[in-house]
């Protein structure tokens, strides 16, 4: 059983919701990212989505764009991002890590080398934002063969037939985008999310997590009530932004930065 | 021509690929919009009434057909093949861009979209989009890099006069590629009522195909005019390539004519041996950006590189996927002209023919002059004069240290 399957299965059995923070590898620095990842786990993260920085993040809103720019300004590469995973795995062998990013860095590294390196580093899942299933055949097959979960997105604009196909094609979990827009946009229409998740439930047994626009404990709880878990990205990256200029970070800074995740865990755990 | 080779020109396939290039690489939110566009376009491309309306707009609003002009003094100066210019500079708004925006705005109308968005670098596509939006009464937002807004102030004002909202883009390198990212973000956010008019033969399928189809009017006219004025097909075609819409528009109707050689001229900036150019077909590698797989200016870690060209319209790190394919199958030869070669050609054409070319088109003129000089006097070449150069005179004055 993959690490993701183990974690999601355990959560299902225990009736817990998944909490999945997203942060950009190398923001504010590579060592800091590793430290933050451990702290996120200690404060309730079940899975970590690690963003691979790319110069042209066309699906991301301004907060994550700036995080990516900060990371790239320090020269972070895909090799470095994988190094972050490897470093994290020295201490934590249990928490699944999903790489999230855009295709070009992977394409330029070459699929085979990427998968070899990702496997060695301890990556559990890959979500390529600008690679829909129809364009994924080669990379998808190679990832599956290597035992790495392939996670795809479903959005409010995805019709039922396509959603069924995507669910069938995905492994690990299904990532539902809560709104029409980019990461960090304002999520207001809870009712349409509820309806769409209900419809998705009929199509798949995969765990469904909701992301985009979840910005605090309250929205985390509301979305987790409708699904199997939530992804929190921009709200965390906005806090990380305040660390950018500092050399090394203290325990106190870390605890302040990830307070949003701690808060989300607390709220989500209130769901019975 | 062999059957296999002829088939190579019938792209894209049903999934939007030209060989390994093209495709649909966008976030899930946009998949439905792209699929809908494909469905509507497929239906309309067989609809005679739609094309009649398109032709009518081109005739009475744009002023087509544009002349095929024999550049006699330029020919004498080069001392080789006779040089003809396809005068896209004489179109309404001063460039070929309007052929595409008319077509796409008609599509937007047909799809009942009330709001159009566009990205622009030099401002030509932005102006052409704002123009048709005004003509058809549509709301228009144009994304433009903050750097480009400074470089192209007159076009920014033009767009505003036409009623468009010009949105300054501050992310990334603050140029055309970032404007395109921002337009994609807007589209994902306002996907229900918004039509995205992409300005070149790039982006996710079906854009490379539909933009090509609208721009093909250039090549169809040139073919007819050539037969009428020269009595045969030309020996060579030359066009500048940024994203490549004017080039594909000229080339496509001639692709199956084996006797016609074709040259796409990229921007060599300060030189192909420097990192300061915008010539992915000459010096790039295949990758994925802005919805399609194509040749890109990307570094060895997969980040998109900043490009340089004196011409803002060629200053883009990618190129249309059909050009990538035509390069690989050796149907079109892709060459490059530097900033200074383009400047030199700009002055030559201005002084010898009384035609001020756009800096983009000056790259085609620069290579076309060399090519003509190396060809026999019995040969005929057509250079696509894709736009007029009035918009560039400030840039040129600045480069040459002249104060206006």
């Amino acid at each position: 059983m993959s690490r993701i399957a183990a974690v999601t299965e355990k959560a299902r059995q225990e009736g817990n919701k998944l909490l999945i923070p997203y942060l950009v590898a190398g923001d504010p620095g590579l060592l800091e990212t590793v430290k933050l990842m451990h702290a996120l786990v200690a404060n309730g993260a079940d899975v970590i989505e690690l963003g691979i920085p790319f110069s042209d993040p066309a699906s991301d809103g301004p907060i994550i764009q700036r995080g990516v720019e900060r990371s790239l300004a320090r020269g972070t590469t895909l090799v470095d991002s994988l190094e972050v995973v490897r470093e994290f795995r020295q201490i934590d062998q249990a928490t699944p890590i999903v790489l999230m990013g855009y295709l070009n860095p992977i394409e330029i590294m070459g699929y085979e080398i990427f998968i070899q390196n990702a496997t060695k580093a301890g990556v559990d899942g890959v979500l390529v934002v600008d690679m829909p299933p129809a364009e994924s055949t080669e990379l998808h097959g190679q990832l599956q063969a290597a035992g790495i979960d392939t996670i795809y997105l479903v959005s409010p604009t995805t019709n039922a037939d396509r959603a069924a196909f995507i669910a069938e094609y995905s492994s690990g979990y299904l990532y539902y985008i809560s709104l029409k827009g980019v990461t960090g946009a304002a999520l207001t229409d809870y009712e349409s999310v509820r309806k769409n998740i209900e419809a998705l439930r009929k199509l798949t047994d995969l765990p469904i997590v909701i992301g985009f626009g979840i910005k605090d404990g309250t929205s985390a709880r509301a979305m987790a009530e409708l699904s199997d878990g939530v992804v929190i990205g921009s709200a965390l990256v906005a806090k990380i932004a305040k660390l950018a200029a500092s050399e090394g970070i203290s325990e106190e800074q870390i605890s302040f930065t990830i307070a949003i995740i701690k808060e989300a865990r607390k709220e989500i755990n209130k769901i019975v | 021509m062999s059957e296999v080779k002829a088939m190579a020109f019938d792209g894209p396939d049903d999934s939007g690929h030209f060989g390994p290039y093209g495709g649909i690489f966008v976030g899930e939110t946009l998949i439905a919009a792209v699929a809908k566009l494909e469905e509507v376009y497929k239906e309309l491309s067989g609809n005679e009434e739609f094309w009649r309306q398109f032709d009518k707009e081109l005739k009475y609003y744009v002023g087509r057909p544009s002349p095929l002009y024999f550049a006699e003094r330029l020919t004498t100066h080069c001392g080789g093949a006779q040089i003809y210019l396809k005068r896209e500079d004489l179109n309404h708004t001063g460039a070929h861009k309007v052929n595409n925006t008319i077509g796409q705005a008609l599509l937007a109308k047909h799809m009942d979209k009330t709001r159009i968005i566009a990205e622009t670098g030099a401002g030509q596509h932005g102006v052409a989009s704002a123009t048709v939006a005004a003509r058809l009464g549509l709301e228009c937002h144009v994304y433009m890099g903050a750097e480009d807004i400074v470089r192209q102030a007159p076009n920014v004002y033009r767009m505003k006069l036409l009623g468009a909202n010009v949105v300054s883009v501050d992310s990334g390198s603050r140029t055309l590629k970032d404007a395109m990212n921002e337009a994609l973000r807007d589209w994902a956010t306002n996907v229900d009522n918004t039509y995205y008019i992409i300005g070149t033969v790039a982006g996710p399928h079906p854009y490379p195909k539909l933009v090509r189809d609208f721009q093909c009017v250039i090549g169809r006219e040139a073919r007819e005019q050539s037969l009428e004025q020269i009595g045969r097909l030309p020996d060579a075609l030359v066009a500048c390539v940024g994203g490549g819409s004017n080039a594909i528009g000229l080339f496509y109707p001639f692709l199956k004519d084996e006797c016609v050689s074709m040259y796409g001229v990229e921007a060599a900036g300060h030189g192909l041996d420097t990192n300061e150019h915008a010539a992915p077909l000459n010096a790039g590698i295949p990758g994925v950006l802005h919805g399609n797989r194509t040749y890109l200016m990307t570094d060895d870690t997969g980040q998109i590189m900043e490009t340089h060209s004196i011409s803002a319209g060629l200053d883009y790190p990618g190129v249309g996927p059909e050009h990538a394919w035509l390069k690989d199958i050796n149907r079109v030869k892709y060459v490059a002209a530097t900033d200074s070669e383009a400047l030199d050609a700009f002055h030559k054409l201005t002084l010898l023919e009384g035609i001020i070319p756009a800096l983009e088109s000056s790259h085609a003129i620069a290579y076309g002059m060399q090519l003509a000089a190396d060809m026999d006097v019995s040969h005929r070449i057509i250079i696509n004069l894709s736009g007029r150069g009035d918009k560039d005179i400030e840039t040129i004055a600045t480069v040459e240290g002249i104060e206006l």
Side-chain angles (χ1 to χ4, degrees):
Chain A
M1 190 185 287
S2 74
R3 275 196 203 97
I4 297 179
V7 165
T8 56
E9 190 46 40
K10 182 162 176 276
R12 192 195 297 253
Q13 279 170 11
E14 294 173 1
N16 288 332
K17 304 290 186 178
L18 300 165
L19 175 58
I20 310 178
Y22 164 99
L23 73 176
V24 179
D27 173 31
L30 297 171
L31 285 176
E32 288 79 2
T33 302
V34 178
K35 271 193 194 172
L36 285 166
M37 287 164 74
H38 287 307
L40 288 166
V41 174
N43 285 278
D46 299 299
V47 178
I48 290 176
E49 286 189 356
L50 185 64
I52 304 169
F54 177 51
S55 52
D56 294 77
S59 293
D60 285 300
I63 293 171
I64 291 178
Q65 285 170 44
R66 298 293 178 253
V68 165
E69 283 173 16
R70 287 191 297 273
S71 175
L72 287 176
R74 303 186 59 132
T76 311
T77 64
L78 176 51
V79 171
D80 296 329
S81 304
L82 291 168
E83 187 55 28
V84 165
V85 179
R86 202 190 60 80
E87 195 61 38
F88 174 82
R89 279 275 170 263
Q90 305 292 316
I91 296 177
D92 187 330
Q93 280 95 44
T95 310
I97 296 178
V98 172
L99 293 182
M100 184 168 180
Y102 296 80
L103 186 54
N104 200 54
I106 297 175
E107 182 111 346
I108 298 302
M109 179 180 273
Y111 294 168
E112 268 179 50
I113 298 174
F114 167 68
I115 290 167
Q116 274 171 21
N117 292 343
T119 306
K120 259 191 252 165
V123 169
D124 303 289
V126 170
L127 196 180
V128 184
V129 181
D130 59 347
M131 184 186 68
E135 298 288 357
S136 74
T137 322
E138 200 185 325
L139 181 58
H140 181 91
Q142 291 186 31
L143 285 166
Q144 296 260 307
I148 295 178
D149 282 317
T150 45
I151 294 158
Y152 295 91
L153 303 162
V154 170
S155 96
T157 60
T158 310
N159 68 33
D161 285 352
R162 183 176 167 84
F165 164 70
I166 293 173
E168 180 65 29
Y169 200 64
S170 302
S171 64
Y173 54 83
L174 200 57
Y175 187 134
Y176 180 76
I177 302 174
S178 66
L179 47 80
K180 290 171 193 160
V182 292
T183 52
L187 170 58
T188 50
D189 192 356
Y190 288 16
E191 183 50 25
S192 87
V193 177
R194 191 185 62 74
K195 274 193 199 145
N196 285 329
I197 297 289
E198 247 171 44
L200 273 180
R201 284 279 187 224
K202 293 182 186 136
L203 301 172
T204 183
D205 291 329
L206 273 183
I208 301 169
V209 305
I210 302 179
F212 283 37
I214 298 171
K215 61 176 196 305
D216 53 22
T218 315
S219 50
R221 179 175 172 175
M223 289 299 109
E225 267 169 353
L226 304 175
S227 65
D228 299 307
V230 293
V231 181
I232 300 180
S234 295
L236 175 61
V237 175
K239 295 292 183 205
I240 293 176
K242 300 194 170 131
L243 298 173
S246 63
E247 294 281 322
I249 41 175
S250 65
E251 289 306 314
E252 198 186 341
Q253 280 175 308
I254 288 182
S255 137
F256 174 76
T257 305
I258 63 161
I260 163 85
I261 298 303
K262 204 172 174 176
E263 165 77 6
R265 180 83 268 170
K266 203 176 97 195
E267 286 299 316
I268 290 173
N269 284 351
K270 289 181 188 164
I271 302 170
V272 212
Chain B
M1 180 157 298
S2 76
E3 205 168 305
V4 176
K5 223 168 171 197
M7 271 172 63
F9 307 137
D10 293 336
D13 64 18
D14 287 342
S15 56
H17 295 92
F18 302 89
Y21 305 108
I24 301 176
F25 293 88
V26 293
E28 179 60 27
T29 309
L30 289 177
I31 291 287
V34 170
K36 181 73 189 166
L37 178 60
E38 189 195 356
E39 181 196 319
V40 169
Y41 183 66
K42 207 172 201 174
E43 176 204 319
L44 280 184
S45 48
N47 178 331
E48 278 179 32
E49 179 50 34
F50 176 78
W51 292 106
R52 253 201 303 279
Q53 200 184 350
F54 177 64
D55 288 343
K56 195 173 151 195
E57 292 289 328
L58 290 184
K59 183 173 177 187
Y60 295 103
Y61 190 64
V62 178
R64 301 203 73 95
S66 69
L68 183 68
Y69 165 78
F70 174 47
E72 195 175 353
R73 294 189 68 214
L74 188 69
T75 297
T76 308
H77 174 82
C78 295
Q82 294 193 2
I83 300 172
Y84 287 78
L85 303 176
K86 180 62 177 162
R87 299 290 307 275
E88 292 298 300
D89 61 315
L90 294 176
N91 291 340
H92 179 42
T93 72
H96 72 290
K97 291 288 184 191
V98 73
N99 303 328
N100 168 45
T101 57
I102 293 258
Q104 290 202 57
L106 290 176
L107 265 175
K109 266 281 205 209
H110 187 87
M111 295 172 79
D112 292 324
K113 303 291 184 187
T114 53
R115 179 175 181 273
I116 64 174
I117 57 172
E119 84 293 335
T120 197
Q124 291 307 99
H125 174 59
V127 167
S129 297
T131 298
V132 298
R135 162 86 178 78
L136 296 172
L138 296 164
E139 180 188 334
C140 179
H141 302 264
V142 180
Y143 288 91
M144 190 165 181
E147 291 281 330
D148 290 334
I149 285 185
V150 175
R151 289 197 280 189
Q152 308 286 335
N155 269 343
V156 174
Y157 185 54
R158 231 166 250 147
M159 288 183 265
K160 287 181 178 165
L161 286 173
L162 289 160
N165 172 33
V166 180
V167 187
S168 174
V169 177
D170 278 314
S171 55
S173 60
R174 298 147 57 100
T175 58
L176 176 56
K177 77 176 178 72
D178 309 285
M180 198 151 175
N181 293 334
E182 206 56 37
L184 287 166
R185 291 175 190 128
D186 178 312
W187 197 22
T189 307
N190 301 293
V191 64
D192 293 331
N193 70 345
T194 297
Y195 184 98
Y196 178 16
I197 302 188
I198 293 184
T200 190
V201 283
H205 175 68
Y207 282 103
K209 173 179 162 56
L210 69 86
V211 176
R212 175 195 75 196
D213 292 352
F214 294 137
Q215 291 294 1
C216 270
V217 64
I218 303 172
R220 277 198 309 272
E221 284 177 8
R223 205 168 189 287
E224 233 170 76
Q225 291 164 326
S226 183
L227 292 173
E228 195 182 297
Q229 293 172 228
I230 307 172
R232 62 178 178 84
L233 294 177
D235 299 288
L237 305 173
V238 183
C240 65
V241 177
S245 69
N246 89 81
I248 210 79
L250 176 65
F251 296 167
Y252 191 76
F254 292 92
L255 282 179
K256 291 177 184 173
D257 301 308
E258 218 168 350
C259 57
V260 181
S261 24
M262 301 181 189
Y263 301 86
V265 188
E266 293 194 303
H270 293 145
L272 291 180
D273 51 351
T274 70
N275 264 339
E276 292 171 20
H277 59 78
L281 290 168
N282 279 274
I285 53 172
V288 173
L289 178 70
H290 292 150
N292 63 119
R293 181 179 280 118
T294 186
Y295 282 84
L296 295 177
M297 301 281 293
T298 168
D299 67 18
D300 56 9
T301 71
Q303 306 303 337
I304 305 305
M305 290 159 72
E306 288 188 23
T307 51
H308 166 81
S309 169
I310 189 172
S311 141
L314 301 182
D315 204 352
Y316 178 68
V319 63
E322 191 163 11
H323 286 293
W325 175 237
L326 293 172
K327 170 193 160 74
D328 281 12
I329 62 169
N330 288 317
R331 179 61 186 98
V332 178
K333 193 165 163 27
Y334 293 92
V335 296
T338 63
D339 286 356
S340 63
E341 287 166 340
L343 264 179
D344 181 56
F346 170 93
H347 286 301
K348 289 256 164 60
L349 188 70
T350 303
L351 287 172
L352 290 169
E353 297 289 347
I355 297 172
I356 301 179
L359 275 174
E360 291 78 15
S361 322
S362 300
H363 288 72
I365 305 288
Y367 186 78
M369 287 168 63
Q370 288 174 33
L371 181 71
D374 290 341
M375 289 170 83
D376 188 81
V377 289
S378 65
H379 288 153
R380 310 280 188 274
I381 72 170
I382 297 178
I383 304 175
N384 203 10
L385 189 56
S386 56
R388 58 189 292 165
D390 305 55
K391 68 182 176 66
D392 294 316
I393 56 174
E394 276 182 53
T395 305
I396 288 160
T398 307
V399 169
E400 297 181 343
I402 294 159
E403 216 162 299
L404 294 179

